[in-house]
Amino acid sequence: MPRHLLIAERVRDAARVLGTAVLVDNGRIVEVGDAARLRSPDHLEVAYPGATIVPGMVDAHLHPIGYAASLNRPVLKDARDLDDVADILRTAARSQSPGSAMVALRLDDESLAEGRLPDRHFLDRVMGDRPSLVIRYCGHIAVANSAALALAGIDDATPDPPRGSIDRDDQGRPTGVLRETAVEPVATALGSIAPEVTPDDMVDAAIALASLGLTGIGAIVDHEAGCWAGAGSELDLLIEASERIPIAMEVFVIAQTPADLESAARRLDGLRGRVRFAGFKMFSDGSLGGHTAAMHEGFTDDPEQRGTDRLDPEWAKEMAAAALDLEGRVALHAIGDLANERALNLMEHLIARGADPTGLRVEHASVLSERDIRRFGSLGVTASVQPAFMPSETGWLEKRLGSDRLRRTYPFRSLAEAGAPLAGGSDSPVETPDPLWGIAAARDRCGIVPEEGLGPEVALGLFTSGAAAATGAPSSLEQGGAANLTVLTTDPVVATPDEVRQARVVATWVDGSIVEVPVGTVAWRG
């Protein structure tokens, strides 16, 4: 193949403009510089007039099976009230076979006119005896109807599971609302009768991600079934699709035992293609929206509730050690300030035992104390953050946390100034996987404590060098590096946040080849 010379108005990384062209040979970057100097009759030129080429954009935290499901399952995020929820579910049911279960995604009770979750009686009226599970958009809470509860064996006498809870009415009967680990038995019970996410769906979803400019992701995948898809082993599905995946997927496995983690790592490491083992993912708490984030003090709008502490320190140490022995990273979900304190305590322990801090990540790092902001920097632990959370939370975040804690929520600038490594992600399907949306939100924060916004160069770095460092997915313009490149209609450093949101992806190059995106691809932009 001839060398390719990609020519644009500018080529830049997060730090500076490097030229107007990238010379690519055999999937690697040969040189970046001025187009006039790099031109040769032997080079096949690809021109992008007026465009900007940046290092391939990377999402450090994305659930690929859940994202694939969100492109094929009923989605409730835009429902205005419970009548809308009912209409969406009934419409979706008409296209399903009579014996299949209904699994709907991304219900946002905060945006409903009623301002509350539905219950099993509502779902019974809407769905009848079709087993149904409606998952809140955070993924940490779901609502099941009576048929689904019965399939999972949940009744009045069922105790709360460890690190989860079943909401009950005044007479002690389950309302259908399930929190944290209580969701798992219902999702498992419905798995065999829910519409499946197929390997073809997974490949289509990966192409859709490439159409958004993503050349790599930190893929969060459950060793077994996950709540998003409601069926089968997520790991099996991804492995089956792996040879056709067009972008890098560095896989963080949710597992319960060292043996399961080792098995997953060996299977992933034996693959051909772009899907690779990256490490282990675990949970310290839940979500702010669902009142299950583990907090030192009660929520402002529910003072008696301090969330759900999901971290078993001894088990976490064992699993983290297993991941490190496999040369993987450790990623720990932590939203509330108590959860983040405990997460950093674990990371401190691992570092004291010889772990490289560059392989340690705290996912979300949402509400932090001033002390823990400084600890992120002093320990060198990566804060894997999701700026796109803020557009969804502008209407209720202060109500949930109060003004004092709000100042310490998503403290991007303070973390950067403390010297903490930052990586950007979306947590899709919780939020859009569009990295331009994430870059813009990191800068203007949708008005939430705007002084914690990042400068444009740092915001671009979140989704290029920062996310790459946290996942292992290539993203740089260095000579000899993988030719993973994103071509944009505008320079994301020069443009305003709103202009960044409106920008479009012209092309996505992975390993020196352009990813072909079929007409009609649905990608879910911001």
Side-chain angles (χ1 to χ4, degrees):
M1 291 182 63
R3 289 185 171 191
H4 286 77
L5 185 65
L6 282 56
I7 302 172
E9 182 174 325
R10 66 181 63 84
V11 180
R12 70 161 313 124
D13 58 17
R16 62 197 183 281
V17 174
L18 298 168
T20 57
V22 182
L23 182 60
V24 175
D25 183 31
N26 196 29
R28 316 301 291 184
I29 294 174
V30 176
E31 191 173 354
V32 177
D34 183 70
R37 183 175 61 80
L38 295 176
R39 277 194 166 104
S40 166
D42 297 329
H43 300 160
L44 178 62
E45 292 190 6
V46 183
Y48 296 111
T52 297
I53 298 174
V54 300
M57 291 193 290
V58 177
D59 186 315
H61 183 119
L62 189 149
H63 300 261
I65 313 302
Y67 177 63
S70 74
L71 299 178
N72 296 282
R73 292 270 175 86
V75 172
L76 302 169
K77 187 68 164 69
D78 293 333
R80 296 164 297 180
D81 53 31
L82 289 174
D83 285 342
D84 274 0
V85 172
D87 289 344
I88 294 169
L89 294 176
R90 289 188 181 113
T91 299
R94 286 196 287 270
S95 66
Q96 290 187 200
S97 61
S100 63
M102 171 64 67
V103 179
L105 308 178
R106 303 194 76 235
L107 174 68
D108 185 0
D109 50 301
E110 290 287 347
S111 68
L112 298 178
E114 295 84 357
R116 61 175 175 81
L117 292 166
D119 60 15
R120 66 182 173 93
H121 303 297
F122 169 84
L123 291 181
D124 290 348
R125 291 193 297 272
V126 174
M127 301 306 297
D129 60 1
R130 182 192 293 270
S132 302
L133 184 69
V134 172
I135 300 171
R136 191 180 186 277
Y137 84 95
C138 63
H140 289 260
I141 294 174
V143 186
N145 71 348
S146 297
L149 292 173
L151 273 179
I154 295 176
D155 58 23
D156 298 1
T158 303
D160 287 347
R163 298 176 177 82
S165 63
I166 301 167
D167 283 15
R168 304 173 194 274
D169 62 21
D170 292 341
Q171 297 179 320
R173 295 175 296 198
T175 67
V177 176
L178 309 166
R179 301 179 188 272
E180 300 300 330
T181 57
V183 177
E184 295 169 7
V186 179
T188 300
L190 269 57
S192 62
I193 56 173
E196 64 177 345
V197 177
T198 67
D200 285 346
D201 292 334
M202 186 63 258
V203 174
D204 289 345
I207 293 170
L209 292 172
S211 77
L212 296 174
L214 290 168
T215 61
I217 65 170
I220 311 300
V221 174
D222 203 307
H223 181 265
E224 302 297 340
C227 72
W228 300 114
S233 164
E234 290 192 354
L235 183 64
D236 287 348
L237 173 59
L238 187 61
I239 288 173
E240 189 172 348
S242 62
E243 289 191 22
R244 295 184 287 148
I245 296 293
I247 63 175
M249 290 195 178
E250 309 293 340
V251 181
F252 290 81
V253 179
I254 300 171
Q256 298 304 313
T257 69
D260 284 345
L261 185 64
E262 182 177 359
S263 171
R266 287 181 175 174
R267 294 178 66 196
L268 290 164
D269 285 342
L271 296 177
R272 295 178 297 177
R274 298 185 174 94
V275 178
R276 297 177 287 266
F277 175 70
F280 168 61
K281 161 76 185 301
M282 56 182 155
F283 295 87
S284 184
D285 65 345
S287 73
L288 288 173
H291 291 94
T292 56
M295 307 294 294
H296 280 290
E297 298 179 358
F299 291 98
T300 302
D301 57 351
D302 189 356
E304 299 303 312
Q305 177 59 260
R306 297 190 181 188
T308 303
D309 181 356
R310 293 183 59 172
L311 189 66
D312 177 340
E314 295 308 311
W315 172 83
K317 290 174 185 177
E318 179 185 21
M319 292 299 297
L324 295 170
D325 286 344
L326 293 166
E327 298 184 350
R329 294 171 168 83
V330 176
L332 176 53
H333 166 117
I335 297 277
D337 50 10
L338 174 61
N340 275 284
E341 179 182 281
R342 300 193 72 201
L344 288 177
N345 289 345
L346 173 64
M347 301 307 184
E348 204 165 39
H349 165 82
L350 296 175
I351 292 168
R353 297 290 298 270
D356 181 348
T358 62
L360 305 178
R361 302 172 24 158
V362 175
E363 308 305 299
H364 315 310
S366 301
V367 186
L368 302 175
S369 67
E370 297 291 348
R371 173 176 177 266
D372 283 340
I373 291 171
R374 294 191 296 271
R375 275 215 292 171
F376 266 101
S378 62
L379 291 173
V381 171
T382 297
S384 171
V385 299
Q386 291 69 43
F389 282 176
M390 288 181 287
S392 291
E393 299 177 2
T394 53
W396 54 261
L397 194 59
E398 186 168 6
K399 175 184 73 172
R400 188 75 85 248
L401 295 174
S403 58
D404 180 58
R405 285 184 295 196
L406 187 66
R407 292 186 298 100
R408 298 180 279 106
T409 301
Y410 310 128
F412 304 148
R413 182 178 291 272
S414 292
L415 283 165
E417 291 176 348
L422 297 177
S426 65
D427 203 13
S428 187
V430 172
E431 302 294 351
T432 171
D434 184 350
L436 295 173
W437 191 260
I439 288 168
R443 291 173 58 181
D444 67 13
R445 300 173 56 88
C446 303
I448 299 175
V449 193
E451 57 267 28
E452 283 292 339
L454 296 174
E457 295 89 352
V458 181
L460 175 59
L462 275 185
F463 289 88
T464 53
S465 57
T471 61
S475 176
S476 79
L477 296 175
E478 293 181 1
Q479 184 176 5
N484 291 354
L485 307 163
T486 304
V487 187
L488 302 171
T489 55
T490 191
D491 184 336
V493 171
V494 174
T496 68
D498 282 341
E499 289 170 340
V500 172
R501 289 185 176 93
Q502 297 303 315
R504 291 293 183 269
V505 175
V506 180
T508 302
W509 290 72
V510 178
D511 294 329
S513 297
I514 192 168
V515 179
E516 299 292 342
V517 178
V519 174
T521 296
V522 177
W524 180 21
R525 286 213 69 196

